[in-house]
Amino acid sequence: MTTAPLLVLCALGPEVWALRGGDWRGAPGGSPVLVRTGVGRRRAGLAVRRLLGSAPTGYGAVVVAGFGAALGPGVLPGDVVAADGVRDAEGHLYPLDSGAELGRALKERGLTVHTGVHHTADHVVRGLERRALHLQGALAVDMEAAAVLAALREVRSTLPTAVLRVVVDTPEHELLRPGTLPAGVRAWRTLRATVPALVDWYRQERAPGSADLNHPTSSTLPQEAS
């Protein structure tokens, strides 16, 4: 039996590029499978169902990672928000056990980390809407994570899952559209710097006592999909 690799889902190409260049040495299962899902809930959900819905999984855990926006004060550009839950626009909450452990791993790597709820919106959130979501308990907003978790609940509910966002824009400095997010050089570098912590988290998930999953000897799944 072999340890299956980590599946990492990103919305944007620059997020994939940042993570691909990180230090993945020692990752259980070897190099991760990095997939660009595209922006938005529909694309993210379809990607998960396509990758995992029709065959035995070849992955040991799933990470949703990329850039995001802060919803309130105290979270600055370049900070990381590790999710302990993700809420969608309809109010459904998907709890995550991984938030605390991933947060510790990120802090041990010298990163500034906040742990809390992410909100997945179906549009770019600005102004007063950000404040309203913050008052409802969310720390960061994205456009994909809840759809990934909903699809995983349907097709692979037992896979360990983690979600993190590196903050690019804040209520004080809003960006114009999702495609401008990778322009934050500091956030791009921080996203790359999260890789050793992701390895640490996955290694903990695959510690003795966890059941390994068989990784298929041959697969038609791409290393990067669009």
Side-chain angles (χ1 to χ4, degrees), residues 5-106:
L6 183 65
L7 174 62
V8 182
L9 303 175
C10 303
L12 301 170
E15 296 167 335
V16 173
W17 303 336
L19 290 165
R20 184 189 294 124
D23 184 1
W24 291 99
R25 288 177 298 179
S31 298
V33 177
L34 297 163
V35 175
R36 177 169 63 88
T37 66
V39 173
R41 295 199 293 175
R42 184 186 66 83
R43 291 175 176 173
L46 286 173
V48 171
R49 291 177 177 89
R50 175 171 56 85
L51 288 163
L52 299 174
S54 61
T57 183
Y59 309 107
V62 176
V63 170
V64 182
F67 305 123
L71 290 173
V75 183
L76 303 176
D79 289 0
V80 185
V81 183
D84 59 12
V86 177
R87 187 178 63 214
D88 66 19
E90 292 72 40
H92 303 114
L93 180 65
Y94 299 88
L96 286 170
D97 295 334
S98 56
E101 185 62 37
L102 178 57
R104 282 193 292 270
L106 291 161

Side-chain angles (χ1 to χ4, degrees), residues 9-224:
L9 303 175
C10 303
L12 301 170
E15 296 167 335
V16 173
W17 303 336
L19 290 165
R20 184 189 294 124
D23 184 1
W24 291 99
R25 288 177 298 179
S31 298
V33 177
L34 297 163
V35 175
R36 177 169 63 88
T37 66
V39 173
R41 295 199 293 175
R42 184 186 66 83
R43 291 175 176 173
L46 286 173
V48 171
R49 291 177 177 89
R50 175 171 56 85
L51 288 163
L52 299 174
S54 61
T57 183
Y59 309 107
V62 176
V63 170
V64 182
F67 305 123
L71 290 173
V75 183
L76 303 176
D79 289 0
V80 185
V81 183
D84 59 12
V86 177
R87 187 178 63 214
D88 66 19
E90 292 72 40
H92 303 114
L93 180 65
Y94 299 88
L96 286 170
D97 295 334
S98 56
E101 185 62 37
L102 178 57
R104 282 193 292 270
L106 291 161
K107 288 178 181 177
E108 288 172 357
R109 295 291 179 167
L111 299 173
T112 301
V113 184
H114 310 265
T115 302
V117 172
H118 289 204
H119 179 87
T120 295
D122 56 10
H123 59 279
V124 177
V125 174
R126 298 191 179 95
L128 291 177
E129 188 178 4
R130 284 199 193 207
R131 177 172 172 79
L133 292 173
H134 179 62
L135 291 174
Q136 293 168 19
L139 291 183
V141 62
D142 64 36
M143 297 178 67
E144 295 82 28
V148 170
L149 296 178
L152 285 172
R153 179 174 289 184
E154 293 177 15
V155 298
R156 290 292 182 270
S157 61
T158 60
L159 275 182
T161 307
V163 175
L164 70 83
R165 296 293 178 185
V166 176
V167 173
V168 175
D169 65 327
T170 68
E172 295 78 17
H173 299 92
E174 293 186 338
L175 296 177
L176 297 178
R177 59 188 186 279
T180 65
L181 293 179
V185 174
R186 179 180 178 186
W188 191 89
R189 290 174 176 168
T190 300
L191 183 58
R192 175 166 288 187
T194 67
V195 167
L198 291 175
V199 172
D200 294 342
W201 171 77
Y202 188 35
R203 187 181 296 117
Q204 180 63 35
E205 287 293 325
R206 307 307 298 172
S210 299
D212 282 341
L213 298 173
N214 285 320
H215 182 53
T217 56
S218 62
S219 173
T220 59
L221 297 179
Q223 290 293 305
E224 180 181 345

